[in-house]
Amino acid sequence: MVAVSLVGVLTGGGLSGTAAATEVGVGDGVDVTSAQAEQLEVASARVLRGMSLEEKVGQLFVTWVNGKTAEQADPKNQADFGVDTAAEAVRRYHLGGVIYFNNDSRDNFDDPGQVARLSNGLQAAALGSGARIPLQIGTDQEGGTVTRMGAPATEFPNSMAVAAGRDVSAGMQVGAVLGRELRAVGINQDYAPDADVNSNPANPVIGVRSFSGQPGLAGEFVSAEVRGYQEGPAAKAVSATAKHFPGHGDAATDSHTGLPRIDRSEEQWRAIDVPPFKAAIAAGVDSIMSAHIQFPSLDPSGEPATLSKPIITGKLRGELGYDGVVITDSLEMQGVRELHSDAEIPVLALKAGVDQLLMPANLRLAIDSVLSAVKSGNLPMQRIDQSVLRVLKLKLKRGILTAPFTDPAQVGRSVGTPEHLAIARRIADRSITAVANDARVLPLKEKPATALVAGWGVASTQTLAERLSAHGTKATALQTGQTPSDEMIAQAAGAAKNTDLVVVLTNNLGGFPRQNKLLQALMDTGKPVIAVAAQIPYDAGYDNPVPTWLATYGYFTPSLEALAKAVLGKTKPSGKLPVDVPAGADVHTVRYPFGHGLTW
């Protein structure tokens, strides 16, 4: 419950660094039940009353920061925010949150201990600013393809692989493990799970990030993962974020580069896209992320959902009854910038009913636009206060206001533990799906002495070869890519002739059909060939010469280790397709139906 000492700290309108550090120890938190909702409201309102307009508006923004320490100068911070360090950015703009990345331009990850120290430094900066309110620190840790904190942290397969195992409790385990490991390094929000129903096999951006192409199965796993993230002591739990409302699963365009249009009817939307979001809301999800997509049946104006009051306030708030935090997808993405300027977007999003603005392309411009809109009366103060109150309630509910710091010395007790790694292995083992075995190549009659791993991906072919070798079959990797040249195909065929078994990894046969030429050349050698859909399972549905197909739904280490064991007979494939696999580009003809999966 909300402790009396905490209410006393909040009475002054904010949290001092000393109070935050001493009133509540690291590891303590606020466990919230429905009976304590009024206390949350009262405590959050006290903080709100003590905030200036600039501090309130700052709480509505979540942005990236540059660097691996809070106080280290990075020229990119000067270019992005007009300051030298990440800590200065937090203080100057009274930020409500930051988001961590691990790419070349924005790399915040080195090792778990470093991340914990970065988080503590940023929280100290937040407590030293005018608002004195700790940060939401978030990242995109979906598992599989979208993983920001890699090894030695626990790596999980993609969501579609988890659902292929059909064990709903595995979804809860994924959320619980990822949540515990993120909170150990000071990250208190995960922008996961993906609640989209991948009903379009040609979807260029969702795919295996979705649990399923069927709303019922997707909803079961979304609910389980949300509970995994959020259940348990507040200072150990992480806020989950269901995304991307009102549903990105039928998109044919990547909203990073364009503005997708979804032409479902409203009735189809309710039947297909809504169930996973309803399941997330029923599970108490802390936040929901909007999509930069046009959905004319829900809003004929053509506005992207992020900026649509009929969708955010009308459908999400009104029809679905959601009163938690709504955050935008990244405002750097082209989908939301197609129709409006960077100055207009944050104001339109807040008018639509959004609470938090994620990664505006120009933070200073975005904040100034909101401040100007409030001062001119274009954006009511009541709308600002409503969103700030939701953010504060979330922070109090998750123990962020009372226990913002973590202990870097204890990170090893939570991150990448043997127990967590074993959970990931078990989930991956259950996911491997035997789609076709017409030539009865599997199970292998005897363990091959040698194998060739060819096809897509430097890391994926090399990792699989290493895992096969570790299990007693000497394997060689030959990365031929998604568009193998004639010379590379000839090299692969030559190598195949001198081996006992060929395993070829494919990735998006529909978009990169030259992989079929590689498959044909390998089959022509007369060697046993096992084709593996190493990302989207739809590859197995295209006309191709290989009669033996497995699906892994991803290429991270747990999936490739599980694949090696299935190929060599150490485990039996038990996965079931979470989607319909159509006959190639003919999406109206199902070649392998939802639920299909062979075993022996």
Side-chain angles (χ1 to χ4, degrees), residues 264-271 274 295 297-298 315 319:
R264 293 199 204 284
S265 69
E266 190 168 340
E267 291 71 24
Q268 290 172 322
W269 170 72
R270 286 196 181 92
V274 168
F295 217 122
S297 67
L298 305 183
K315 297 301 182 187
E319 182 172 328

Side-chain angles (χ1 to χ4, degrees), residues 237-433:
V238 162
S239 290
T241 306
K243 58 187 185 185
H244 311 78
F245 189 84
H248 211 305
D250 195 37
T253 302
D254 185 345
S255 52
H256 291 85
T257 58
L259 178 55
R261 176 187 169 106
I262 308 292
D263 286 319
R264 293 199 204 284
S265 69
E266 190 168 340
E267 291 71 24
Q268 290 172 322
W269 170 72
R270 286 196 181 92
I272 299 171
D273 297 300
V274 168
F277 289 101
K278 273 190 172 179
I281 292 168
V285 70
D286 279 355
S287 66
I288 291 178
M289 181 179 287
S290 67
H292 305 325
I293 56 175
Q294 293 176 323
F295 217 122
S297 67
L298 305 183
D299 182 357
S301 73
E303 288 285 11
T306 294
L307 310 181
S308 169
K309 189 170 184 177
I311 292 176
I312 301 299
T313 297
K315 297 301 182 187
L316 182 54
R317 299 286 194 204
E319 182 172 328
L320 300 187
Y322 184 63
D323 193 38
V325 171
V326 176
I327 186 168
T328 72
D329 205 343
S330 168
L331 297 182
E332 286 189 303
M333 293 165 62
Q334 185 60 30
V336 75
R337 302 171 79 188
E338 194 94 340
L339 304 178
H340 299 283
S341 71
D342 289 334
E344 295 172 306
I345 288 168
V347 176
L348 291 172
L350 290 169
K351 285 184 172 182
V354 163
D355 301 305
Q356 287 186 312
L357 304 151
L358 178 64
M359 297 172 59
N362 184 325
L363 179 63
R364 178 74 270 172
L365 174 66
I367 289 176
D368 286 346
S369 297
V370 174
L371 290 172
S372 296
V374 175
K375 291 173 182 176
S376 70
N378 185 31
L379 193 58
M381 178 63 80
Q382 182 183 7
R383 176 75 275 280
I384 299 297
D385 285 350
Q386 184 182 47
S387 287
V388 176
L389 190 60
R390 287 193 184 110
V391 171
L392 292 174
K393 286 164 65 178
L394 184 156
K395 289 184 175 184
L396 183 54
K397 178 183 178 183
R398 288 291 154 229
I400 297 169
L401 292 187
T402 58
F405 299 105
T406 190
D407 185 352
Q410 300 298 315
V411 166
R413 295 188 177 184
S414 299
V415 178
T417 65
E419 178 189 3
H420 290 178
L421 296 173
I423 290 171
R425 285 194 297 269
R426 287 196 298 270
I427 291 172
D429 285 345
R430 291 179 62 95
S431 72
I432 302 301
T433 306

Side-chain angles (χ1 to χ4, degrees), residues 1-15:
M1 61 182 291
V2 180
V4 174
S5 58
L6 172 60
V7 175
V9 172
L10 293 175
T11 302
L15 284 171

Side-chain angles (χ1 to χ4, degrees), residues 110-112 150-155 181 415-417 421:
D110 190 1
D111 61 74
T154 303
E155 296 178 328
E181 296 197 2
V415 178
T417 65
L421 296 173

